[in-house]
Amino acid sequence: MARIRIMALVLLLAGAFLGFFVYSSEVNTQSVVSGFPFKLGLDLSGGSHLVYRADVSEIGAGDVGSSMEALRDVIETRVNLFGVSEPLVEVEGGSFSGKEEHKLIVELPGISDVGKAIELIGKTPVLEFKLLNEEVAKAASKSNSSTTPADLFTSTGLTGRLLERSQLEFEPRTNEPIVSLVFNDEGSTLFAKITKENIGKVLAIFLDGKIISSPVIRDEIVSGKAQITGSFTPEEAKLLVRDLNYGALPVPIELISTQTIGASLGEEAKTAGVRAGIIAFLVIVLFLIIWYRLPGVIASCALIIYTILNLALFKLIPVTLTAAGIAGFILSIGMAVDANILIFERMKEELKRGKNLHDAIDEGFKRAWLSIRDSNLSSIITATILFMFASTSIIKGFALVFGIGVLVSMFTAITVSRTFLKAIQWKDGRAARFLFGNGFRR
């Protein structure tokens, strides 16, 4: 008995400690646990939701998946550079109206300016290497006719898409900033071919359609390296290196949908979800105490620990809470109560068979365990499949929160409720049998 009571005390202290952690991390922003806030989804915190359609028509069927993942990584890196808190970038694929489509979903919490959001991820520098068409240039010079770069230069196919990395360097003699380029294998091969076949010609470097450098090819370059020199300031060269490193998109994308969720709307959704959870919790506790008497009080204590443990896990994992996730959590509270009700009904049956209180508690838990195990296992399997195959983050969030809730409910219903019940030493008598009965009859 002493061991059971010590275990009950440990569970109470652990619940109190976790409850203090959850409360303190929300209220006291200066405490050491303030670094564990609830992670809220876009529908609760407000922000921008952008949907892009990817053009994969030029990509082989076997490379579409890897190209979309590379696209996601590039956009995610670009968004992270601007310090957006907890952005979500994910790809979606599927058949829409009989046509295969691939989309990129970008959620930017805290950014309600759609124009700024589009600018954050849409600005992509275009780097091109073009050869001067000498015949056209000579003809234009003789006739004094006006020409454009498009008339004078021809594309070589060497673009920023073939860039492996760029780096900021400084010219040793003049200390001017230089942007050095290193091409990937495909780019290196193409660059070597261009320089070999066009020695003595001008190979201009275009950035966003403007000539920034026009060197003359002196020799074949097989190293796959090039340099951009120009009248850069160090800051301009640094920004160019950043954009070149993170700007080349492996797949062209087109913005097809935008949605802005205001902070006030997100706050309303969060308040409504929390209010629904509190009301559901109080109604369930009231029902348990009125109908199941003393076991109902103990089940309510276990339910409080269940709620605290879930909230602590949401902070520590962390789990992104959306309106759907809160719904999943409220649903899992019902699952937690369901296990307690099964146990109490089995206990009632054992008491009616004439067993004493101690044996009825042991037998009640023993007989209810198989039903609790099977029903919760079915829910966990469903949540796992839903999480694995869901195509949107909202459904994944619902499945994750629901699955965590079911796992925790098994622990609190079997371990916490059982320990608390056995820690109360009741002599078998009329008073004990009344308190461990249920319904409105004595």
mmCIF file of all heavy atoms in Angstrom, residues 381-392 395-401:
data_model
loop_
_atom_site.group_PDB
_atom_site.id
_atom_site.type_symbol
_atom_site.label_atom_id
_atom_site.label_comp_id
_atom_site.label_asym_id
_atom_site.label_seq_id
_atom_site.Cartn_x
_atom_site.Cartn_y
_atom_site.Cartn_z
ATOM 1 N N ILE A 381 -3.950 3.279 -35.278
ATOM 2 C CA ILE A 381 -3.713 2.856 -36.672
ATOM 3 C C ILE A 381 -4.363 3.840 -37.640
ATOM 4 O O ILE A 381 -3.764 4.253 -38.645
ATOM 5 C CB ILE A 381 -4.256 1.431 -36.894
ATOM 6 C CG1 ILE A 381 -3.407 0.419 -36.111
ATOM 7 C CG2 ILE A 381 -4.265 1.079 -38.376
ATOM 8 C CD1 ILE A 381 -3.979 -0.994 -36.107
ATOM 9 N N THR A 382 -5.595 4.237 -37.334
ATOM 10 C CA THR A 382 -6.295 5.201 -38.196
ATOM 11 C C THR A 382 -5.544 6.526 -38.253
ATOM 12 O O THR A 382 -5.359 7.101 -39.346
ATOM 13 C CB THR A 382 -7.721 5.441 -37.667
ATOM 14 O OG1 THR A 382 -8.401 4.194 -37.573
ATOM 15 C CG2 THR A 382 -8.493 6.368 -38.579
ATOM 16 N N ALA A 383 -5.097 7.018 -37.086
ATOM 17 C CA ALA A 383 -4.369 8.291 -37.057
ATOM 18 C C ALA A 383 -3.051 8.192 -37.814
ATOM 19 O O ALA A 383 -2.661 9.123 -38.532
ATOM 20 C CB ALA A 383 -4.112 8.698 -35.601
ATOM 21 N N THR A 384 -2.370 7.044 -37.700
ATOM 22 C CA THR A 384 -1.089 6.863 -38.403
ATOM 23 C C THR A 384 -1.278 6.868 -39.919
ATOM 24 O O THR A 384 -0.537 7.533 -40.658
ATOM 25 C CB THR A 384 -0.437 5.531 -37.974
ATOM 26 O OG1 THR A 384 -0.274 5.530 -36.555
ATOM 27 C CG2 THR A 384 0.918 5.356 -38.631
ATOM 28 N N ILE A 385 -2.296 6.133 -40.384
ATOM 29 C CA ILE A 385 -2.551 6.095 -41.836
ATOM 30 C C ILE A 385 -2.960 7.474 -42.343
ATOM 31 O O ILE A 385 -2.517 7.924 -43.404
ATOM 32 C CB ILE A 385 -3.647 5.046 -42.134
ATOM 33 C CG1 ILE A 385 -3.105 3.646 -41.834
ATOM 34 C CG2 ILE A 385 -4.113 5.138 -43.574
ATOM 35 C CD1 ILE A 385 -4.142 2.552 -41.946
ATOM 36 N N LEU A 386 -3.798 8.161 -41.560
ATOM 37 C CA LEU A 386 -4.229 9.502 -41.954
ATOM 38 C C LEU A 386 -3.037 10.443 -42.043
ATOM 39 O O LEU A 386 -2.923 11.242 -42.988
ATOM 40 C CB LEU A 386 -5.242 10.026 -40.928
ATOM 41 C CG LEU A 386 -6.008 11.298 -41.292
ATOM 42 C CD1 LEU A 386 -6.835 11.080 -42.547
ATOM 43 C CD2 LEU A 386 -6.916 11.710 -40.136
ATOM 44 N N PHE A 387 -2.111 10.335 -41.090
ATOM 45 C CA PHE A 387 -0.929 11.202 -41.088
ATOM 46 C C PHE A 387 -0.018 10.886 -42.278
ATOM 47 O O PHE A 387 0.535 11.783 -42.911
ATOM 48 C CB PHE A 387 -0.160 11.014 -39.784
ATOM 49 C CG PHE A 387 1.043 11.899 -39.654
ATOM 50 C CD1 PHE A 387 0.910 13.202 -39.198
ATOM 51 C CD2 PHE A 387 2.312 11.448 -40.000
ATOM 52 C CE1 PHE A 387 2.012 14.034 -39.085
ATOM 53 C CE2 PHE A 387 3.412 12.273 -39.897
ATOM 54 C CZ PHE A 387 3.269 13.566 -39.431
ATOM 55 N N MET A 388 0.131 9.602 -42.604
ATOM 56 C CA MET A 388 1.043 9.213 -43.675
ATOM 57 C C MET A 388 0.533 9.604 -45.049
ATOM 58 O O MET A 388 1.310 10.003 -45.928
ATOM 59 C CB MET A 388 1.275 7.697 -43.627
ATOM 60 C CG MET A 388 2.085 7.226 -42.431
ATOM 61 S SD MET A 388 2.204 5.420 -42.369
ATOM 62 C CE MET A 388 3.073 5.086 -43.905
ATOM 63 N N PHE A 389 -0.770 9.496 -45.250
ATOM 64 C CA PHE A 389 -1.300 9.693 -46.603
ATOM 65 C C PHE A 389 -2.034 11.022 -46.784
ATOM 66 O O PHE A 389 -2.518 11.299 -47.886
ATOM 67 C CB PHE A 389 -2.244 8.548 -46.964
ATOM 68 C CG PHE A 389 -1.530 7.232 -47.122
ATOM 69 C CD1 PHE A 389 -1.491 6.310 -46.090
ATOM 70 C CD2 PHE A 389 -0.858 6.927 -48.294
ATOM 71 C CE1 PHE A 389 -0.818 5.103 -46.212
ATOM 72 C CE2 PHE A 389 -0.187 5.723 -48.439
ATOM 73 C CZ PHE A 389 -0.160 4.809 -47.400
ATOM 74 N N ALA A 390 -2.143 11.838 -45.736
ATOM 75 C CA ALA A 390 -2.825 13.131 -45.871
ATOM 76 C C ALA A 390 -2.036 14.036 -46.807
ATOM 77 O O ALA A 390 -0.804 14.036 -46.797
ATOM 78 C CB ALA A 390 -2.984 13.790 -44.510
ATOM 79 N N SER A 391 -2.755 14.786 -47.615
ATOM 80 C CA SER A 391 -2.098 15.660 -48.592
ATOM 81 C C SER A 391 -1.976 17.095 -48.102
ATOM 82 O O SER A 391 -1.323 17.910 -48.745
ATOM 83 C CB SER A 391 -2.882 15.644 -49.913
ATOM 84 O OG SER A 391 -4.210 16.088 -49.699
ATOM 85 N N THR A 392 -2.599 17.430 -46.983
ATOM 86 C CA THR A 392 -2.512 18.801 -46.479
ATOM 87 C C THR A 392 -2.028 18.791 -45.032
ATOM 88 O O THR A 392 -2.226 17.826 -44.287
ATOM 89 C CB THR A 392 -3.882 19.513 -46.535
ATOM 90 O OG1 THR A 392 -4.779 18.871 -45.625
ATOM 91 C CG2 THR A 392 -4.466 19.457 -47.933
ATOM 92 N N ILE A 395 -4.813 18.300 -42.173
ATOM 93 C CA ILE A 395 -5.220 16.921 -41.854
ATOM 94 C C ILE A 395 -4.101 16.206 -41.102
ATOM 95 O O ILE A 395 -4.336 15.449 -40.159
ATOM 96 C CB ILE A 395 -5.592 16.172 -43.144
ATOM 97 C CG1 ILE A 395 -6.785 16.860 -43.813
ATOM 98 C CG2 ILE A 395 -5.945 14.718 -42.841
ATOM 99 C CD1 ILE A 395 -7.184 16.266 -45.134
ATOM 100 N N LYS A 396 -2.845 16.433 -41.522
ATOM 101 C CA LYS A 396 -1.707 15.833 -40.804
ATOM 102 C C LYS A 396 -1.689 16.298 -39.355
ATOM 103 O O LYS A 396 -1.434 15.507 -38.436
ATOM 104 C CB LYS A 396 -0.392 16.223 -41.494
ATOM 105 C CG LYS A 396 -0.078 15.431 -42.748
ATOM 106 C CD LYS A 396 1.249 15.895 -43.331
ATOM 107 C CE LYS A 396 1.598 15.136 -44.598
ATOM 108 N NZ LYS A 396 1.999 13.762 -44.325
ATOM 109 N N GLY A 397 -1.951 17.603 -39.141
ATOM 110 C CA GLY A 397 -1.967 18.134 -37.786
ATOM 111 C C GLY A 397 -3.063 17.508 -36.950
ATOM 112 O O GLY A 397 -2.848 17.170 -35.775
ATOM 113 N N PHE A 398 -4.229 17.327 -37.543
ATOM 114 C CA PHE A 398 -5.336 16.676 -36.835
ATOM 115 C C PHE A 398 -4.942 15.256 -36.441
ATOM 116 O O PHE A 398 -5.142 14.834 -35.298
ATOM 117 C CB PHE A 398 -6.579 16.651 -37.736
ATOM 118 C CG PHE A 398 -7.718 15.825 -37.183
ATOM 119 C CD1 PHE A 398 -8.603 16.367 -36.267
ATOM 120 C CD2 PHE A 398 -7.875 14.508 -37.576
ATOM 121 C CE1 PHE A 398 -9.640 15.610 -35.747
ATOM 122 C CE2 PHE A 398 -8.903 13.727 -37.062
ATOM 123 C CZ PHE A 398 -9.796 14.289 -36.145
ATOM 124 N N ALA A 399 -4.363 14.513 -37.404
ATOM 125 C CA ALA A 399 -3.992 13.115 -37.138
ATOM 126 C C ALA A 399 -2.922 13.025 -36.053
ATOM 127 O O ALA A 399 -2.982 12.150 -35.175
ATOM 128 C CB ALA A 399 -3.491 12.461 -38.430
ATOM 129 N N LEU A 400 -1.938 13.930 -36.086
ATOM 130 C CA LEU A 400 -0.853 13.898 -35.096
ATOM 131 C C LEU A 400 -1.383 14.186 -33.685
ATOM 132 O O LEU A 400 -1.074 13.452 -32.738
ATOM 133 C CB LEU A 400 0.214 14.931 -35.472
ATOM 134 C CG LEU A 400 1.410 15.035 -34.516
ATOM 135 C CD1 LEU A 400 2.166 13.718 -34.448
ATOM 136 C CD2 LEU A 400 2.361 16.157 -34.943
ATOM 137 N N VAL A 401 -2.185 15.243 -33.553
ATOM 138 C CA VAL A 401 -2.722 15.601 -32.234
ATOM 139 C C VAL A 401 -3.637 14.493 -31.711
ATOM 140 O O VAL A 401 -3.571 14.113 -30.530
ATOM 141 C CB VAL A 401 -3.489 16.942 -32.321
ATOM 142 C CG1 VAL A 401 -4.233 17.212 -31.020
ATOM 143 C CG2 VAL A 401 -2.523 18.076 -32.609
#
